Amino acid sequence: MLNKKSVDDINVKGKKVLVRCDFNVPLIDGKITDENRLVAALPTIKKLIADGGKIILCSHLGKVKTEEDKQTKTLAPVAARLTELLGQEVKFAADPEVVGPNAKAAVEAMNDGDVILLENTRFRPEETKNGEAFSKELASLCDVYVNDAFGTAHRAHCSNVGVTEFVKGDCVVGYLMQKEIDFLGNAVNNPERPFVAILGGAKVSSKISVIENLLDKVDTLIIGGGMAYTFMAAHGEETGKSLLEADYEDYALKMEKKAEEKGVKLLIPIDTVVADDFSNDANFKVVGRGEIPADMEGLDIGPKTAELFADAIKGAKTVVWNGPMGCFEMPNFAKGTIAVAQAMADLESATTIIGGGDSAAACNQLGFGDKMTHISTGGGASLEFLEGKELPGVAAADDK
Ligand code: AMP
């Protein structure tokens, strides 16, 4: 059970609070094209303002490799938009050194309840190396530290891990981070049963540790998407031109055996939507298990499988989903993913958790965004949580 100190456990009145946020938003010509991450950060920031802290926000934005990147990866537009969203000034501490003279002067001039934003932490190359000097500089700005950036929790960088070594006061998590820990950490490790996990997406190889870890915890494991074909091929079935990782066929059989030994029901597709091209305009049809034509590829689970999976989800008390059932980006091959999302949305008293990345995108894009208990904000981080790994960004926060 992860029991971390949060912003509710500290007193920040009059204190300088460094808050690591995830403001890694898409920018086109300096304009923010998706502000979900900014909106998601507001509850923690508002709480700290209301409590009278001096709030120093920091975040990374994209990758900074060249001097040119610094022109396009500045956080200045984020400060401007946060000012509008919060209804109070978020002063941008423009400083190429991130924690240089400008930033220090801006911090010194703060009053209780003021908010400033530092420049992109990746302007400092040490950031991603978790270097000591930059970690110390960041820590020198504040009395207490809050980490609310789940998207980077699986990485050990200065602004989310190194800094916590040198902050004298508390190092706690914000509301966003707390929610991710509650659902992806605690709900998955102490699930209300029946517990069903649904895995899909392109490859078995990228989800090996997730399958292994979940087989120790779930009652039912559903496998769809591109990764299902490796399981079919492992049984000697024709998979045509479908995605296949032949090197992982033995592994697929091993996982089936492990499921059997553990009493876990493992379901793979019993029919498939096959197409003659990887395109929404392709000719397509439904075929039964083992009947994929050699010159076609599977792009979605078939209607019988959708029914089988929906039935398996019915009655579940905890459901975790990571990876689409097919190429949901193409409407002709989105039906399987919609069916699974619908089955989860129909559950009346269950905890439904969506891993970040493609599953979160599929859920939002298909209109199920507000029907789930929790949609993770971190792709890589949520996958590592489901692998049962300790995330450095979470581990670095103080325990209660
Ligand atoms: P992942 O990042 O591993 O979760 O993979 C997500 C991607 O897998 C999405 O872009 C889907 O379009 C793709 N995908 C799902 N099912 C299939 C399939 N049957 N064939 C090819 N790609 C697929």
Side-chain angles (χ1 to χ4, degrees):
M1 182 87 176
L2 284 163
N3 210 0
K4 294 288 170 184
K5 266 194 195 164
S6 84
V7 282
D8 286 331
D9 301 312
I10 54 170
N11 176 6
V12 299
K13 176 83 186 133
K15 291 185 186 158
K16 288 176 275 182
V17 192
L18 179 66
V19 189
R20 175 48 158 111
C21 298
D22 180 2
F23 294 149
N24 186 25
V25 289
L27 281 171
I28 296 179
D29 296 333
K31 290 243 165 345
I32 299 164
T33 56
D34 179 348
E35 63 184 29
N36 275 326
R37 287 184 167 158
L38 306 191
V39 173
L42 297 178
T44 297
I45 301 171
K46 283 182 179 166
K47 151 88 178 158
L48 296 168
I49 294 173
D51 288 354
K54 294 172 179 148
I55 299 123
I56 306 155
L57 306 173
C58 70
S59 172
H60 80 284
L61 173 62
K63 291 193 171 115
V64 180
K65 297 244 162 79
T66 61
E67 282 304 306
E68 255 169 35
D69 286 341
K70 293 189 177 175
Q71 309 302 315
T72 54
K73 303 283 167 57
T74 171
L75 278 170
V78 169
R81 184 62 188 132
L82 278 175
T83 297
E84 291 166 0
L85 290 169
L86 280 171
Q88 83 167 61
E89 189 191 11
V90 174
K91 189 176 161 48
F92 183 57
D95 195 325
E97 294 172 52
V98 187
V99 188
N102 292 353
K104 286 178 191 162
V107 170
E108 279 318 305
M110 289 177 90
N111 293 310
D112 293 358
D114 281 355
V115 185
I116 69 167
L117 173 62
L118 302 182
E119 183 53 281
N120 183 354
T121 50
R122 289 200 184 160
F123 275 32
R124 293 287 294 270
E126 312 99 290
E127 160 72 336
T128 53
K129 300 184 183 89
N130 202 15
E132 189 173 306
F134 185 45
S135 299
K136 276 186 176 161
E137 286 174 43
L138 285 166
S140 73
L141 293 180
C142 69
D143 304 304
V144 292
Y145 170 83
V146 176
N147 188 354
D148 212 14
F150 181 68
T152 47
H154 58 315
R155 306 268 182 250
H157 293 169
C158 293
S159 63
N160 72 331
V161 173
V163 63
T164 63
E165 299 257 329
F166 305 104
V167 172
K168 295 207 177 69
D170 296 299
C171 292
V172 306
V173 296
Y175 290 132
L176 242 189
M177 192 75 147
Q178 182 65 59
K179 204 168 167 242
E180 299 280 4
I181 294 171
D182 284 346
F183 288 107
L184 283 166
N186 296 335
V188 168
N189 287 315
N190 303 297
E192 225 192 306
R193 295 185 182 280
F195 178 15
V196 178
I198 306 150
L199 294 179
K203 291 181 170 175
V204 178
S205 54
S206 63
K207 302 219 170 129
I208 284 181
S209 310
V210 180
I211 300 176
E212 298 244 34
N213 184 44
L214 289 177
L215 275 177
D216 290 330
K217 301 182 183 346
V218 298
D219 300 294
T220 301
L221 179 64
I222 292 173
I223 300 221
M227 59 197 279
Y229 307 112
T230 300
F231 281 77
M232 295 176 193
H235 290 281
E237 293 166 24
E238 174 67 69
T239 55
K241 288 157 69 183
S242 310
L243 269 184
L244 177 68
E245 289 175 288
D247 291 353
Y248 287 89
E249 288 177 27
D250 286 347
Y251 172 79
L253 293 177
K254 222 172 92 192
M255 287 306 101
E256 287 188 347
K257 189 154 174 272
K258 178 169 175 178
E260 203 182 320
E261 284 163 8
K262 297 235 159 218
V264 173
K265 200 196 274 180
L266 191 148
L267 299 175
I268 67 169
I270 50 173
D271 61 350
T272 300
V273 179
V274 293
D276 62 1
D277 192 15
F278 189 79
S279 151
N280 194 50
D281 300 325
N283 297 305
F284 62 94
K285 62 179 180 180
V286 176
V287 298
R289 189 165 166 182
E291 293 169 0
I292 299 177
D295 59 347
M296 295 184 95
E297 62 187 306
L299 293 185
D300 195 9
I301 56 172
K304 285 193 183 129
T305 306
E307 220 178 297
L308 175 78
F309 289 0
D311 271 349
I313 293 165
K314 239 178 242 165
K317 287 284 178 204
T318 307
V319 186
V320 171
W321 178 23
N322 191 294
M325 295 293 98
C327 296
F328 74 97
E329 298 93 336
M330 300 186 249
N332 282 338
F333 309 108
K335 292 190 190 77
T337 301
I338 293 173
V340 162
Q342 187 65 57
M344 286 179 75
D346 287 345
L347 292 171
E348 273 171 14
S349 59
T351 302
T352 47
I353 303 162
I354 314 295
D358 277 311
S359 337
C363 226
N364 288 324
Q365 196 179 311
L366 301 172
F368 292 93
D370 56 352
K371 305 268 186 343
M372 305 298 170
T373 315
H374 178 65
I375 300 185
S376 177
T377 53
S382 76
L383 212 57
E384 291 200 17
F385 236 138
L386 294 178
E387 289 173 356
K389 283 192 188 149
E390 183 181 68
L391 306 192
V394 175
D398 297 344
D399 290 317
K400 263 194 186 168

